[in-house]
Amino acid sequence: MKVKRQSKILEIIKDNEIDTQEALAEMLNDAGFNVTQATVSRDIRELKLTKVPVGMGKQKYIVISNEDSEIGERLKRVFRDGVTAIDFAQNIIVIKTLTGMAMAVAAALDAMDNTEIMGTIAGDDTVFCVVKNETKAIRLIGKLRVNMNKN
């Protein structure tokens, strides 16, 4: 449950300008996660989220993208735990996930900062990932499969 909740947090902060723990807790509760402010505070600390200014005196939470940090490992774990299969057709990679995990996997994939990726689209259990050409698709699939198999 913790991995799913933290995956949802990553998804929420990617898609929304969340500036308080209370706002994040409310969105998690609306999404079906029964959380308290204390739980959200712990998750923020574990995910190593930080606030950045977004203008007009407002701030929002973001993920610090650093491949060598604990958050990089956490994102890889979200990807590894959520993905069930990877395949491709020309320059489109299709990633099958556990039900309800596609958005979290897409958010983790985007945060991994793979330069081959032009964009991702996620449904409920499928992520479409577009890369520039078939050669780059094959290369990226190799990297993703390595991430899936690391413990």
Side-chain angles (χ1 to χ4, degrees):
M1 186 59 142
K2 181 178 178 179
V3 170
K4 283 187 178 183
R5 184 182 65 247
Q6 289 184 347
S7 296
K8 187 65 174 178
I9 289 171
L10 295 174
E11 177 187 326
I12 288 171
I13 67 166
K14 180 178 182 271
D15 296 339
N16 303 279
E17 290 189 1
I18 303 297
D19 61 344
T20 65
Q21 293 179 7
E22 293 78 15
L24 184 53
E26 183 178 328
M27 291 194 83
L28 284 168
N29 282 312
D30 290 346
F33 294 90
N34 186 17
V35 296
T36 64
Q37 184 272 332
T39 301
V40 171
S41 179
R42 252 189 323 275
D43 287 338
I44 287 170
R45 193 171 46 256
E46 287 179 15
L47 290 168
K48 295 191 178 179
L49 302 182
T50 190
K51 285 186 181 180
V52 295
V54 293
M56 301 204 313
K58 295 185 178 186
Q59 295 183 328
K60 73 173 189 172
Y61 283 107
I62 64 162
V63 175
I64 299 170
S65 263
N66 182 352
E67 198 63 27
D68 297 326
S69 72
E70 183 180 320
I71 189 64
E73 288 305 312
R74 187 168 299 280
L75 290 171
K76 287 178 186 177
R77 189 168 61 239
V78 165
F79 185 84
R80 190 171 45 243
D81 292 347
V83 173
T84 59
I86 301 176
D87 206 348
F88 76 102
Q90 296 179 1
N91 69 320
I92 298 174
I93 298 172
V94 179
I95 302 170
K96 297 300 286 180
T97 71
L98 298 171
T99 302
M101 289 294 292
M103 288 295 287
V105 166
L109 188 62
D110 289 344
M112 286 180 199
D113 198 28
N114 291 300
T115 57
E116 301 94 336
I117 297 173
M118 295 180 68
T120 57
I121 299 173
D124 188 45
D125 66 355
T126 305
V127 177
F128 287 126
C129 180
V130 178
V131 295
K132 290 190 177 188
N133 58 49
E134 187 171 346
T135 302
K136 290 185 180 197
I138 293 168
R139 187 177 310 131
L140 180 58
I141 286 174
K143 286 173 35 179
L144 296 176
R145 286 188 174 143
V146 166
N147 282 336
M148 284 176 60
N149 295 324
K150 285 186 178 177
N151 292 326

